[in-house]
Amino acid sequence: MLTITDRRFAHSPSSFGRRDFLRIGSLGGLTMPGLRAAQSQAALENNVFKNKSIVFLFLQGGPPQIETFDPKIDVPSDNRSCTGEIRTKLPGVWFGGTLPKLAQRADRLAVVRSFATNDGSHNPIPILTGRHPSGAAMSALCARAAGPFHPRTGLPMNTVIVPEAVKPDLKLGTPTATFGLPRIETSVASAGSLGNPYKGFIRNGKPEQLGNFDLNLPRDRFVDRYQLLGKLDDLKRNLDRSGEVNGMSQIERQTYDLLLRGVADAFDLSKEDPKTIAKYDTSHLFNMADYHKGGKYFLFNGKKKLVDQERWTNLLGKEMLLARRLCEAGCGFVTVVDSSWDFHGNGANNPGTLVGMNTLGSQMDHAVAAFLDDVEQRGLSDQILLIVTGEMGRSPIKKNKDAGTDHHGDLTPLLLAGGGLNMGQAIGKSDRTGSRPDSDPYGPENLLSTVMHTMFDADKLRVSPELLPPEITKLILDGQPIKELF
């Protein structure tokens, strides 16, 4: 952010507005030729883009359907939730025992009990892309339709939040490659064949990534254009020296320029009301260091390391708060990726369901409930669609130590909230044991279509299909969303 101070008012510093800074940016070479051209201006000007946002909470690893939104009651004990069941506000609908806050807000939620990715491996591509032939994450497809940057705030329309985004000094260990940060960068942020302009921007916590974008200049010397240019050049040289710029994609380079314009404020939780931060905060729920290397839950029988806990954090609440801030600032699609939900309990890389749900399940319950309350109080419930899911579910019958379960692609938990869609319902049903759909099934293609119909006006596209790129128009008009939500 560029701040212009005035020594004549020592106790009342002033600053130029955004319009002035855009003018300053043009002096410093910070404008982005082609940015406006990259925007889907026709979509914006004709209101095809509904100006809504998506927050996609990706529970990588495979959240168990029995423990979350589809517990079974009248079944043998090894098929029931190991954390118990709790009644929701919806008649006849129960949630797992670690989700009491979401149960109390079920009238604001929709759970889909006949949803399945049909992929029982740790393959995030089907759920992230909706199996679109481009191989692009649905977040990138939305950016392709709406433009890679918000036309007023300049915020990237496709942003990925990891724990380091809210705690830049966080030093996490290295889990298996399945759940490491490089995998997140290549899959969650992928733009597939759409190309780098639509790739997700990941705030990875490195100090040099954002740097210090507060360039303080006295007002009485601001008239010296060359001094300003010198300051900007110094900043660019510092970024070059760090080596960060050399490896950046086009969208990351553009994002740097935009952050220089003040967009970094959206990533700064210190600007949030402390009372709001306290409501979101999940750090008190468990000590994440206990699950990291050297912690008391890192070893299994004193021997085998549960390394996939290395990226477990108790920061999900603040990540969800950051997601709300980004949506308010104009981001169209925010993906949140925190910990691994791979609860095998087999003594290898992962803990079992009891440990997993009592830590991560309780944290998700608190963080999502805080998010729902916050966006409702701000009048944003209809403007933000929250999606909570994973790349698969878990085997409904517990086989391993600590109530551990294995991979299961035939049924996948899916929760949605807001977006102006029909809430307060359980859609579809699973069979008696929670193994597979027992009503019309839905899959990633339907979820992708739901997202696109939430963000874009299909009726206007039917009349004027040229308003969006042809592949996006085809996706929206040919897709089949989850019909009960509309």
Side-chain angles (χ1 to χ4, degrees):
M1 180 178 182
L2 177 62
T3 302
I4 308 299
T5 57
D6 191 337
R7 289 177 184 157
R8 292 174 297 175
F9 302 97
H11 301 291
S12 179
S14 60
S15 63
F16 280 76
R18 172 172 170 74
R19 183 174 300 174
D20 295 307
F21 186 66
L22 289 176
R23 192 176 301 116
I24 295 166
S26 67
L27 296 177
L30 294 177
T31 58
M32 294 189 300
L35 172 60
R36 299 296 291 183
Q39 297 285 352
S40 295
Q41 287 301 308
L44 298 169
E45 292 167 4
N46 291 278
N47 296 318
V48 173
F49 176 45
K50 297 180 182 178
N51 201 30
K52 295 190 178 186
S53 299
I54 307 294
V55 174
F56 191 107
L57 175 53
F58 180 43
L59 306 181
Q60 60 172 348
Q65 65 275 17
I66 298 295
E67 307 295 333
T68 51
F69 315 125
D70 193 12
K72 301 300 177 180
I73 306 297
D74 187 21
V75 292
S77 59
D78 64 351
N79 192 192
R80 293 189 65 168
S81 168
C82 65
T83 59
E85 303 89 11
I86 187 167
R87 292 181 184 273
T88 74
K89 273 193 170 183
L90 302 178
V93 177
W94 298 67
F95 284 176
T98 60
L99 309 180
K101 295 179 179 180
L102 291 182
Q104 286 300 307
R105 293 161 176 79
D107 56 330
R108 289 185 262 162
L109 308 173
V111 294
V112 185
R113 289 177 163 174
S114 56
F115 181 80
T117 61
N118 294 308
D119 192 315
S121 65
H122 287 303
N123 177 14
I125 301 305
I127 189 64
L128 293 176
T129 68
R131 292 197 172 90
H132 192 266
S134 67
M138 59 180 74
S139 55
L141 290 165
C142 290
R144 169 70 173 136
F149 295 93
H150 193 279
R152 290 185 299 277
T153 67
L155 201 73
M157 292 294 278
N158 178 9
T159 303
V160 180
I161 296 174
V162 292
E164 290 89 344
V166 297
K167 193 172 183 181
D169 60 347
L170 186 64
K171 304 298 181 184
L172 294 173
T174 305
T176 57
T178 303
F179 304 113
L181 189 56
R183 177 77 176 272
I184 295 171
E185 291 172 338
T186 57
S187 59
V188 179
S190 174
S193 63
L194 299 183
N196 279 343
Y198 307 103
K199 182 181 176 183
F201 172 68
I202 299 181
R203 173 70 177 105
N204 60 22
K206 294 180 181 179
E208 63 269 25
Q209 189 186 42
L210 295 186
N212 178 10
F213 293 105
D214 291 317
L215 305 180
N216 293 298
L217 290 174
R219 182 184 291 270
D220 57 2
R221 300 192 65 184
F222 174 62
V223 293
D224 188 343
R225 177 175 181 267
Y226 294 100
Q227 182 190 17
L228 174 62
L229 291 175
K231 283 278 188 177
L232 296 173
D233 287 342
D234 286 344
L235 176 60
K236 288 185 174 182
R237 276 194 294 271
N238 288 336
L239 291 174
D240 288 334
R241 226 181 348 260
S242 73
E244 185 76 12
V245 171
N246 294 334
M248 287 192 298
S249 68
Q250 177 185 350
I251 194 168
E252 288 169 327
R253 289 177 182 271
Q254 291 174 333
T255 300
Y256 266 53
D257 283 351
L258 288 165
L259 290 171
L260 283 167
R261 297 177 181 178
V263 178
D265 284 356
F267 291 86
D268 188 356
L269 291 183
S270 69
K271 299 184 181 296
E272 196 65 47
D273 185 336
K275 292 181 180 178
T276 301
I277 296 175
K279 290 177 182 178
Y280 273 91
D281 189 21
T282 49
S283 63
H284 62 284
L285 296 178
F286 64 94
N287 180 10
M288 63 181 171
D290 287 345
Y291 299 89
H292 297 168
K293 187 174 183 179
K296 61 182 179 179
Y297 298 123
F298 187 72
L299 299 181
F300 182 84
N301 291 336
K303 295 181 180 179
K304 296 183 178 180
K305 299 176 181 180
L306 302 178
V307 295
D308 284 339
Q309 296 177 161
E310 287 275 48
R311 282 195 63 83
W312 278 24
T313 79
N314 55 20
L315 302 174
L316 180 60
K318 290 182 178 178
E319 291 173 68
M320 294 301 293
L321 174 54
L322 182 53
R324 189 269 290 161
R325 286 181 60 82
L326 292 171
C327 289
E328 276 190 314
C331 185
F333 202 114
V334 182
T335 307
V336 179
V337 189
D338 185 73
S339 305
S340 160
W341 286 61
D342 199 20
F343 303 153
H344 285 286
N346 56 8
N349 295 324
N350 307 285
T353 308
L354 277 170
V355 172
M357 289 305 300
N358 282 317
T359 49
L360 303 187
S362 296
Q363 176 175 232
M364 187 264 287
D365 182 58
H366 182 108
V368 173
F371 180 88
L372 294 174
D373 290 349
D374 191 23
V375 298
E376 182 177 63
Q377 290 166 7
R378 290 172 176 269
L380 297 172
S381 293
D382 287 347
Q383 297 305 116
I384 301 175
L385 174 63
L386 171 67
I387 300 170
V388 182
T389 189
E391 75 271 32
M392 60 182 172
R394 311 297 301 180
S395 57
I397 308 299
K398 296 168 182 63
K399 304 175 182 178
N400 307 324
K401 184 179 175 62
D402 190 27
T405 54
D406 296 326
H407 299 181
H408 189 79
D410 293 339
L411 204 66
T412 308
L414 175 60
L415 175 146
L416 305 100
L421 307 185
N422 297 328
M423 294 293 117
Q425 58 174 327
I427 297 170
K429 62 179 181 178
S430 62
D431 63 10
R432 184 172 182 271
T433 61
S435 299
R436 56 188 52 85
D438 196 30
S439 62
D440 291 341
Y442 286 115
E445 302 90 343
N446 305 110
L447 181 59
L448 171 59
S449 183
T450 297
V451 166
M452 302 305 285
H453 278 253
T454 299
M455 293 190 72
F456 303 97
D457 192 324
D459 291 335
K460 289 185 178 180
L461 279 179
R462 289 187 183 95
V463 176
S464 303
E466 73 283 355
L467 293 176
L468 290 181
E471 72 275 19
I472 301 297
T473 296
K474 177 177 173 57
L475 169 60
I476 294 173
L477 297 185
D478 292 352
Q480 299 295 321
I482 300 171
K483 57 182 183 294
E484 292 89 344
L485 293 170
F486 293 88

